[in-house]
Every structure is written in structure tokens, then in C-alpha cells.
Amino acid sequence: MELCGTAASSVRAVFMVLQLGLTHIMAHQQQIGVEGKEVILNCKRHDKDVIWKYKYDAVSPATIIQLSTGKVFKGRTPMSDRSEINQNSKHLKVLNLRISDAGTYICGCGSDSNSISLHVVKLTISSNGHFLPDDDLELTLMHNSRNPQPRFSITLFNSHNSIVTPDILQNEAPQKYVLKLKQLKTTDSGTWMCNMHSDSPSISQNISFNVKVLGFENTHLERMYAAADSTVTLSWHLNFQKIGWKKFFTGQLNWTQSKAVTLLDFNATADGQLRETKKSSQTLFEIPEMQRDSTVKVKLPKIQLRHSGEYTCQLLNNRRYIQSKTELVVMQVSANPPGPLPKGAEMTLLCRVSSSIPSNIHLLWERVNGTQTDIKKSKQSETEVEVKVTAAGMWNCHLMEDNNMKLSLNYTVEEAPVWISYTVIGVIIGAGVLTFVLVCLGIMFGMSWQRRRQRAKRMARARQHLLEKKTCQCQHRMNK
């Protein structure tokens, strides 16, 4: 019986040792914090009085904060002034975390305690997270923890929660990682996620950060076609309010035809509002008052060919800029001669655009309810096309881009009333008769003038002959 009792005591002792060891292993947790943010460390104890201590390497634990009989006492560790204790849960909150705060945090009462290994990561984003399109994003991760230091694998998720593969510029594991992502776009704006994972010790932590790419909803060159005498409003939608851009920047709206003209100067204030600073005195344009919808506009009332050109909205930030262009092409139809078409007469219809067009665009005259012969197409890159018309009817001029109609204008040729036709015929006949009469009078006048000239010549010769005859007679008498 004594032997059995000794054996049973030994088994119980071994079981207690294994249980204490397992409890210690399970009590040691791993946690990651980010510099500049706060972290909450959980305490397993629920006693009234607890004490939080901090230990780094072989240095003896030092008191961070203590809760005793309902009162809070702070120690002299570097994070004591930035620490708070929840009197109900006994959890520790460390504010404005620093990379030097990494180490072991111990929560306990007497000999019973639990410990947490806190790993602190310092996340640095180039340009403070503010970019222009085509900029490169550079992400630096500095890591600090107690030994053994984990080796992290890093996965980067963009604002659409898709995994992206950056270039690794520097990998000084386990302390420093430098990642680079090239050529950002405005659609990359939003909250990104960096996942840090380690197998030994087992750690997985998501760290979020914001990326803001200033720009326009559309940055590619747009071409707008408009009919003459219509009213057009060109607009550029900025994304700075949508992405929460709070930095100051300036902008311009320019119009380029033969030379560049600045129509508007503006800036964006720190509270996210657009403000006009200078407006052009050009009477061809109207600049509406800026609204709160982050849109820049220019209004063109009753546009003409002279309104055509390239309109550019430009944003400038830190001596760098991004721009969005809209090319305005004005289309016009006309007739020569204008007005009703007399019977038997001919009219020329002209369709033209204000500027050169790409090779995939052409103009096309087409008679409504006409035949294939009533179609006239411009040659490649021609800016105008004309068609000869001898009968009344409606004609359409289409502007075609890759066989898609972008704009269509019509011109109705009206037949002149009969009396106008007779009047025109009478005018034509009268003009012919008058011309004939004038020609006859001219001929008669020319013949009369020719006869007078010949008569004058004969008289001049006669006088000369008489003069010569008299001279001869005088000489004969003197000789006698």
C-alpha cells in the first residue's frame, strides 16, 4: 500500500509539472502592433489587483502600471505615460506605439501571470501616401521584437482586395523590408492591406494603410463633336474629394488653337473645396461658378468653328502635374447659293469640320430616301465634302468613326416657287438682252469712233497737201 501511494504521488507530481509547463506555453502569446497606433494587450487574470510589467532581453521586468485597491499607479518605463489599464477586464492599452516598445509584457498577480511578446512594425509610405498617376509606391517595413525574431512573409492587397506583386528592393529579414509598386493609377486610391505572416513563432497580422492618387475620372484624350450654333459644356471631374485628399494643389484650364490661352486659374483648399483665383475676360466662353461637386466646367454658347481646339485641365502638386484633354471638333453644313433652289438651277451643299480628323473618320453626304448614287463620301483625312444638288429634298451629312455615326446634321433644299423661277428666267433673259444691247452699243460706238478717227486722219492729210501746194506756187512766182 505504501509503494502504491508513493507511485500515485509521483504520477500526480509529474502531471502537475506537465500541466504547469503547458499552461506557461499557452499563456505566452504573440501580437503585432504598428508604430503610431494603439495596441490592446489582454490579461488572463481577473483579480482585483494586477500589475503589468515590461521585459526586454535579459533586463529584469519593470513595472508599467499597477492596479491596487481600485487605484492606478504608473511605473517608470518608457511607455508608462502612454499606457492605460481597464479596471474591469485588466487589459493594457498602449497609445502612440513606438518601435522601441517591442518586448515581453507580463500581466499577473503574485506568481500567477501570463506574458505577451509584442512585435512592433514601423510602416513608412513614400510621399506620405499622396501620389499622382504613374508614380511609384514605396513601402518600408521596420520590425522590432525580442528573440527569437520571426521571419515574415509579406502579402500585399490593393484597394480592390486583389493580391499585387511588388518589387522587393531590400530584404534585411527579420528587421527591414522595402517593397516597390510601379505606376499607380487613380483607381488604386483607397485602403490597402499588408499581411505579415510567420510560422515560427506563429503570427499573422493585417496592417492597413491609405493610398491617394490625385487625378480625373478620365485622363485619356477625349474628342467631342458638336454642331455649329449648339451650346456645349465641357467638364472635368476631379477625384480629390472622393479619395479624401487634404493637401493643397493648384490648377488651370487652358484653350489651345493657334496659341494657348488660360481661361481659369483655381486651387483646392485644405478642407477639400475648389476655389477660383482668376478668370479670363474672353467673351467666347462662360465659366460657371465652382460648385461643391469637385467639377471644373466651361460653357460654350452657340459655338462656331472658331471655338474649336484643345481644352486642357491641369492639376499641379509639388512642381509636378497631371492633365486631361478634350478636343472639340465643330461640324457645319451650308449651301451655295443659299436659299430656295430655282427650277433647272444647281446648288452646292458643303459639309465641313473645324480641324483635322484621324484616318478612321470620314464625312458622308446622303440624300434621304435617295439611291446609292445620292451618296458622297470624303476622302481619307479630308475635312470637308461637297455635293451638287439639282432637285429639292433633304440631305444628311454624317460624321462616321469606324462605321459608327458620331454626329449627323441635315440640310433641306427647298424648291423655289414658280413665280420665282419665272422671275429668275426673266432676269436671266433680261440680263442676256441687256448684255446683247450693251455689246451692240459697244460695237456701234467702236465703229463710230473708228470712222471719226479715219475722217480726222483724211482731213489732216488734206491740210498737209494744201499747205505743200501753196508753198510750191509761191516759189514758182519768185522765180519769174
Side-chain angles (χ1 to χ4, degrees), residues 180-311:
K180 185 175 184 179
L181 193 69
K182 297 181 179 180
Q183 295 185 328
L184 292 174
K185 297 178 174 57
T186 54
T187 53
D188 290 324
S189 297
T191 301
W192 289 51
M193 193 74 69
C194 177
N195 176 262
M196 301 184 69
H197 177 81
S198 170
D199 292 327
S200 180
S202 180
I203 302 173
S204 183
Q205 180 73 29
N206 290 328
I207 304 173
S208 62
F209 59 95
N210 291 323
V211 172
K212 301 175 181 180
V213 185
L214 179 67
F216 306 89
E217 299 295 334
N218 294 314
T219 56
H220 60 278
L221 176 63
E222 291 185 344
R223 184 176 289 106
M224 177 181 288
Y225 301 101
D229 295 323
S230 64
T231 297
V232 172
T233 299
L234 305 178
S235 59
W236 291 262
H237 301 281
L238 282 59
N239 72 343
F240 75 105
Q241 289 182 346
K242 179 180 178 181
I243 65 177
W245 183 284
K246 299 299 182 182
K247 296 179 68 176
F248 177 84
F249 67 88
T250 61
Q252 278 189 343
L253 178 59
N254 300 317
W255 170 53
T256 304
Q257 199 178 59
S258 57
K259 63 179 181 178
V261 177
T262 299
L263 304 179
L264 177 67
D265 289 304
F266 61 91
N267 61 34
T269 58
D271 59 352
Q273 300 298 323
L274 284 179
R275 183 178 62 185
E276 174 188 304
T277 56
K278 187 180 178 182
K279 186 185 296 186
S280 172
S281 59
Q282 285 276 350
T283 57
L284 294 176
F285 311 95
E286 294 181 12
I287 309 295
E289 294 295 329
M290 288 194 163
Q291 305 296 323
R292 301 178 64 88
D293 59 353
S294 64
T295 303
V296 179
K297 299 179 181 179
V298 57
K299 184 178 180 181
L300 312 175
K302 293 186 69 64
I303 61 173
Q304 301 299 321
L305 296 178
R306 65 179 183 272
H307 285 96
S308 65
E310 197 172 80
Y311 293 80

Side-chain angles (χ1 to χ4, degrees), residues 32 38 44 49 55 69 97 128 131 154 165 223 254 316 330 400 418 426:
I32 290 182
E38 64 180 41
K44 301 295 184 181
D49 299 336
K55 183 177 183 299
T69 62
L97 204 61
N128 198 27
F131 304 94
I154 299 174
T165 305
R223 184 176 289 106
N254 300 317
L316 299 95
V330 181
M400 309 294 293
V418 177

Side-chain angles (χ1 to χ4, degrees), residues 169-182:
L169 301 184
Q170 193 172 353
N171 187 354
E172 298 177 3
Q175 293 181 329
K176 186 176 182 180
Y177 306 84
V178 181
L179 312 176
K180 185 175 184 179
L181 193 69
K182 297 181 179 180

Side-chain angles (χ1 to χ4, degrees), residues 307-441:
H307 285 96
S308 65
E310 197 172 80
Y311 293 80
T312 305
C313 187
Q314 187 177 78
L315 307 181
L316 299 95
N317 179 60
N318 290 334
R319 299 181 181 179
R320 299 176 60 249
Y321 70 90
I322 178 176
Q323 62 185 16
S324 176
K325 296 182 179 181
T326 299
E327 182 184 358
L328 179 63
V329 179
V330 181
M331 181 175 169
Q332 184 183 62
V333 293
S334 60
N336 183 29
L341 178 65
K343 188 175 181 179
E346 184 181 75
M347 177 184 290
T348 301
L349 299 183
L350 177 65
C351 179
R352 59 175 175 164
V353 292
S354 56
S355 57
S356 59
I357 52 179
S359 58
N360 65 325
I361 296 178
H362 65 271
L363 300 173
L364 177 70
W365 270 118
E366 180 181 36
R367 182 171 181 171
V368 178
N369 298 325
T371 63
Q372 193 66 28
T373 58
D374 294 325
I375 294 177
K376 183 68 177 295
K377 180 180 177 181
S378 65
K379 296 180 181 179
Q380 184 174 339
S381 299
E382 276 188 341
T383 58
E384 63 180 43
V385 60
E386 62 180 33
V387 62
K388 303 294 184 180
V389 178
T390 57
M394 179 179 287
W395 288 77
N396 287 331
C397 182
H398 307 303
L399 190 148
M400 309 294 293
E401 181 178 348
D402 295 327
N403 296 322
N404 296 317
M405 187 172 64
K406 293 295 183 179
L407 185 63
S408 181
L409 297 179
N410 63 71
Y411 192 95
T412 301
V413 179
E414 297 180 350
E415 186 176 355
V418 177
W419 67 268
I420 293 181
S421 299
Y422 289 155
T423 301
V424 172
I425 295 173
V427 170
I428 294 174
I429 294 174
V433 171
L434 180 61
T435 303
F436 177 75
V437 171
L438 291 175
V439 170
C440 291
L441 290 175

